Amino acid sequence: MPFDGSFTHAMVHELNDLLKSGRITKIHQPYENEVIITFRANRKNYPVLLSAHPNYARVQITKIPYANPAVPTNFAMMLRKYLDGAILNGIQQVENDRIVNFSFSKRNELGDIEELLLAVEIMGRRSNIVLLNNTTKVILDTIKHINADQNRYRLLLPGATYITPPSQDKLNPFTDETKAYAKALSDFPNQEVLATELHRIYQGLDKNTSLELANYLHQHNESSAFDDFFEKFDQPNPVMTTKKQKSSFTAFPYATLEGTQQNFTTLSDLLDAFYVAKAQHDRVIQKAGNLVHVVKNDLKKNRTKLKKLNQTLASSEQADVYKIKGEILTTYLNQVKRGMTEITLPNYYDNNQDIKISLSNQISPSQNAQKYFKKYQKAKNAVHYVSEQLTKTHQEIDYLDNIMTQIELANPQDLDEIREELEKEGYLKVNQKKRKQKRSRASKPETFHATDGTQISVGKNDTQNDRLTLKTAKKTDIWLHTQKIPGSHVIIHDANPTDQTLTEAATLAAYFSKAQQSAHVPVDYVAVKRVHKPNGAKPGLVIYEGQSTLIVDPDEQLVNQLRQV
């Protein structure tokens, strides 16, 4: 379900309750289209995410950790200049549209009270965040600059006058007194047709909400049904409904949405759970930059090398044939005459069956025999060399495949360590400017809790995996990893976990692996004391013995539940 106008209404209600008269204490822009503003209200800190992402635009309080850039963006600096320490006057929604206005008061350099507005426009790829003087309506800055070539109706540039997006000719369902729905209900008894008509009449209803409203009006004949439906958005019961790996979020359970339901305390908690994988993956791909490009290129090179090595190995398997021909020529040397181009002799290695041997007419019979022995020795040496190279190339592919899986599964804050590892291993050139900067703080494995409360740690890159398995975990803790599949190291911080905890930890291991989209994934588990790192092994690589194996299915909903506990 998209973040429609009705859900926006509910979210604004939630934010006003929690952030009333709050003061801004921190402002960060960790990602290109997203800002985190921390409010101090009621003796608590609330990190509020304002997102103008083309696919995941929204407003919410978030508990998901973020990677703060070392150098703030221009927009972040502008927000800090005008809003740092500002008092929140209120949060308003424009009609039932997806536009949320945060109004603030702050004293400027002269000591005068300045009224400021931060408008968050949730409009798909046209989403934006606009800071303006609320008195003059002059734009101070925007997270996306939109010029006249991009939008003739309004400029979204510093210095321009702010104009709200054009309003739709629709009614606000929260303030409508015309009861237009009643006529629609009598004219369109079919539920789906009625839903389409309600969507046309009322502002801020997506298809799911329109269908749910149509169903509610059909199920409840009383005159208050319409108002009763929209009152639910002021007292939400947040729920995520999942069917066949597809999830939808709603402010309260929709009878028209089938599937497994998961309830949440707040709308913000609901959105964190819904977007944790989707938005995080997108953020990772953005931040990963050239990491993905470099790893994919090296994978391609090594797979091409592997193919050529196998071809060389196949041709080198003729080594024994060269040896046999050299020995037969030596045995029957008196029958070989100079100037011959070939000869047929009995092969005493094959019941004296005839074997045809090619000869050079430019050299002596003895030299022809020696030529075959040299070919044999060269092919034999090639087999040894190629076998070594095959082993190294397989290890290289496994390592790069594992790095690629880590990038896909990483949180944005985990990427710095992956980048440092690739620099240390020689896959990336070291950025001298960044080297001089203060080294980023070591990221930590993600923490989950089993249903019985047992702590489970999941490493998200090789640095975390090595640290978690070889240094942090106790020797009696239980270590888990997908069998022969790239993935995370998982530690159950308990020597004797229950069967349910083992299964839940194995599900985490399967989910945070290359087999995330597969079924019936084998996961090995063993005590940490049986896990060892070979000398000279690449980061993240370990060997183990005495393991047991569980077969599990990756389950995103279970993963989210274990995050919530």
Side-chain angles (χ1 to χ4, degrees):
M1 171 184 172
F3 201 101
D4 72 354
S6 299
F7 193 92
T8 303
H9 176 97
M11 179 57 74
V12 167
H13 190 275
E14 176 175 296
L15 293 178
N16 270 316
D17 282 348
L18 294 173
L19 306 178
K20 188 176 181 180
S21 300
R23 180 188 294 272
I24 292 179
T25 58
K26 293 179 184 177
I27 300 173
H28 297 294
Q29 188 182 346
Y31 312 109
E32 183 182 359
N33 298 313
E34 297 179 331
V35 173
I36 303 280
I37 298 180
T38 302
F39 288 83
R40 180 72 177 173
N42 302 313
R43 298 182 181 180
K44 291 183 180 180
N45 292 326
Y46 295 97
V48 177
L49 168 66
L50 310 179
S51 175
H53 191 285
N55 298 318
Y56 311 125
R58 64 197 186 280
V59 177
Q60 64 164 112
I61 295 169
T62 184
K63 296 175 184 175
I64 298 175
Y66 56 89
N68 190 38
V71 180
T73 63
N74 291 336
F75 185 63
M77 291 296 287
M78 189 65 77
L79 290 179
R80 290 175 185 177
K81 176 182 176 181
Y82 286 97
L83 294 181
D84 194 22
I87 301 295
L88 178 67
N89 295 329
I91 307 170
Q92 302 83 28
Q93 179 185 15
V94 177
E95 293 293 328
N96 197 40
D97 207 347
R98 293 176 298 166
I99 303 172
V100 180
N101 291 334
F102 290 76
S103 55
F104 300 95
S105 296
K106 185 188 177 183
R107 291 191 181 277
N108 59 22
E109 295 88 343
L110 300 176
D112 299 326
I113 296 291
E114 195 170 29
E115 301 295 330
L116 300 158
L117 189 76
L118 192 62
V120 184
E121 301 175 354
I122 303 168
M123 300 161 57
R125 62 186 179 86
R126 294 189 178 88
S127 297
N128 213 329
I129 302 173
V130 185
L131 174 66
L132 61 138
N133 184 304
N134 204 18
T135 305
T136 64
K137 303 302 179 185
V138 172
I139 295 174
L140 301 172
D141 205 357
T142 65
I143 200 167
K144 299 177 188 175
H145 288 186
I146 306 298
N147 57 37
D149 293 335
Q150 297 168 286
N151 190 329
R152 293 183 180 180
Y153 177 77
R154 61 184 190 139
L155 288 176
L156 290 175
L157 295 171
T161 300
Y162 179 69
I163 301 171
T164 56
S167 60
Q168 298 173 311
D169 187 20
K170 293 185 178 183
L171 300 172
N172 183 346
F174 291 94
T175 58
D176 175 41
E177 296 180 355
T178 67
K179 296 189 176 181
Y181 67 88
K183 185 175 186 306
L185 183 60
S186 62
D187 290 347
F188 304 100
N190 178 278
Q191 184 168 297
E192 291 187 2
V193 177
L194 175 59
T196 302
E197 183 64 10
L198 292 170
H199 178 73
R200 186 189 67 80
I201 295 172
Y202 290 103
Q203 183 184 36
L205 307 186
D206 81 320
K207 290 183 179 179
N208 284 343
T209 305
S210 299
L211 187 60
E212 181 67 14
L213 174 58
N215 177 69
Y216 194 86
L217 293 175
H218 275 148
Q219 297 298 322
H220 302 78
N221 295 322
E222 58 269 23
S223 58
S224 63
F226 185 86
D227 292 335
D228 292 344
F229 179 82
F230 284 99
E231 282 178 6
K232 292 185 178 186
F233 288 95
D234 289 327
Q235 297 178 334
N237 176 20
V239 65
M240 181 159 61
T241 306
T242 305
K243 183 179 182 181
K244 295 181 179 179
Q245 302 298 317
K246 186 176 181 180
S247 298
S248 300
F249 63 84
T250 51
F252 52 88
Y254 280 12
T256 50
L257 283 177
E258 297 179 352
T260 306
Q261 292 186 343
Q262 183 181 358
N263 294 92
F264 295 85
T265 306
T266 67
L267 297 170
S268 292
D269 287 343
L270 166 65
L271 293 183
D272 266 353
F274 183 82
Y275 285 112
V276 64
K278 298 175 182 64
Q280 288 290 75
H281 178 72
D282 187 84
R283 291 167 177 171
V284 165
I285 295 304
Q286 281 186 28
K287 190 181 177 185
N290 65 327
L291 293 186
V292 174
H293 178 72
V294 168
V295 174
K296 280 186 175 179
N297 272 356
D298 275 299
L299 268 172
K300 186 178 180 181
K301 288 176 187 175
N302 277 280
R303 282 171 179 153
T304 301
K305 181 181 178 181
L306 184 65
K307 187 176 179 181
K308 290 180 178 178
L309 286 171
N310 281 323
Q311 290 172 347
T312 304
L313 185 64
S315 63
S316 297
E317 289 174 354
Q318 299 296 317
D320 288 340
V321 175
Y322 297 142
K323 181 182 179 183
I324 290 169
K325 287 182 177 181
E327 290 180 348
I328 291 172
L329 281 176
T330 302
T331 302
Y332 297 102
L333 203 59
N334 61 337
Q335 297 183 31
V336 184
K337 307 300 179 186
R338 191 182 186 104
M340 296 175 70
T341 56
E342 65 176 36
I343 188 171
T344 300
L345 296 170
N347 182 1
Y348 45 77
Y349 287 104
D350 189 19
N351 296 321
N352 289 323
Q353 294 291 320
D354 287 344
I355 183 172
K356 188 180 287 186
I357 303 173
S358 298
L359 302 169
S360 171
N361 57 8
Q362 303 297 317
I363 56 178
S364 68
S366 176
Q367 287 173 324
N368 268 297
Q370 289 304 313
K371 185 177 179 180
Y372 274 106
F373 284 128
K374 286 178 182 177
K375 280 186 174 182
Y376 161 73
Q377 196 58 49
K378 185 178 179 181
K380 202 71 177 173
N381 291 340
V383 168
H384 178 70
Y385 171 78
V386 169
S387 297
E388 282 186 344
Q389 289 299 307
L390 276 171
T391 301
K392 289 180 180 178
T393 305
H394 276 298
Q395 290 174 348
E396 198 79 359
I397 289 172
D398 289 344
Y399 173 72
L400 291 168
D401 205 16
N402 189 48
I403 289 288
M404 197 67 204
T405 301
Q406 289 175 12
I407 292 173
E408 291 171 351
L409 297 174
N411 292 325
Q413 59 269 29
D414 302 326
L415 290 173
D416 289 337
E417 287 180 336
I418 296 176
R419 188 182 297 277
E420 288 172 10
E421 180 184 332
L422 290 174
E423 288 176 350
K424 195 181 294 182
E425 295 295 318
Y427 295 97
L428 278 175
K429 289 182 180 179
V430 178
N431 189 318
Q432 296 299 332
K433 289 183 180 179
K434 288 188 177 180
R435 175 184 271 184
K436 293 178 183 178
Q437 293 176 1
K438 188 178 178 181
R439 186 176 174 180
S440 59
R441 228 167 139 189
S443 62
K444 295 181 180 179
E446 189 169 358
T447 300
F448 296 82
H449 289 90
T451 302
D452 65 3
T454 304
Q455 183 177 320
I456 302 172
S457 297
V458 178
K460 294 296 187 65
N461 57 48
D462 286 332
T463 303
Q464 289 183 16
N465 287 334
D466 280 349
R467 194 186 305 128
L468 175 62
T469 301
L470 305 174
K471 295 182 179 180
T472 306
K474 295 179 181 177
K475 295 297 182 183
T476 53
D477 287 346
I478 302 300
W479 179 89
L480 302 93
H481 194 282
T482 43
Q483 188 182 92
K484 298 179 182 179
I485 300 170
S488 296
H489 290 204
V490 176
I491 297 290
I492 302 174
H493 296 280
D494 190 335
N496 297 294
T498 64
D499 289 344
Q500 183 179 2
T501 297
L502 268 173
T503 301
E504 289 173 346
T507 303
L508 287 170
Y511 182 82
F512 292 106
S513 78
K514 192 176 181 180
Q516 188 181 89
Q517 302 301 320
S518 305
H520 310 305
V521 179
V523 177
D524 291 337
Y525 67 94
V526 68
V528 170
K529 63 185 177 183
R530 293 184 175 273
V531 182
H532 309 284
K533 190 172 189 67
N535 291 332
K538 283 187 176 292
L541 178 66
V542 294
I543 56 175
Y544 53 94
E545 58 185 3
Q547 72 275 11
S548 300
T549 306
L550 286 171
I551 306 297
V552 296
D553 294 333
D555 186 340
E556 183 176 355
Q557 188 170 347
L558 176 60
V559 171
N560 289 333
Q561 286 175 357
L562 299 181
R563 273 195 180 103
Q564 299 294 317
V565 175

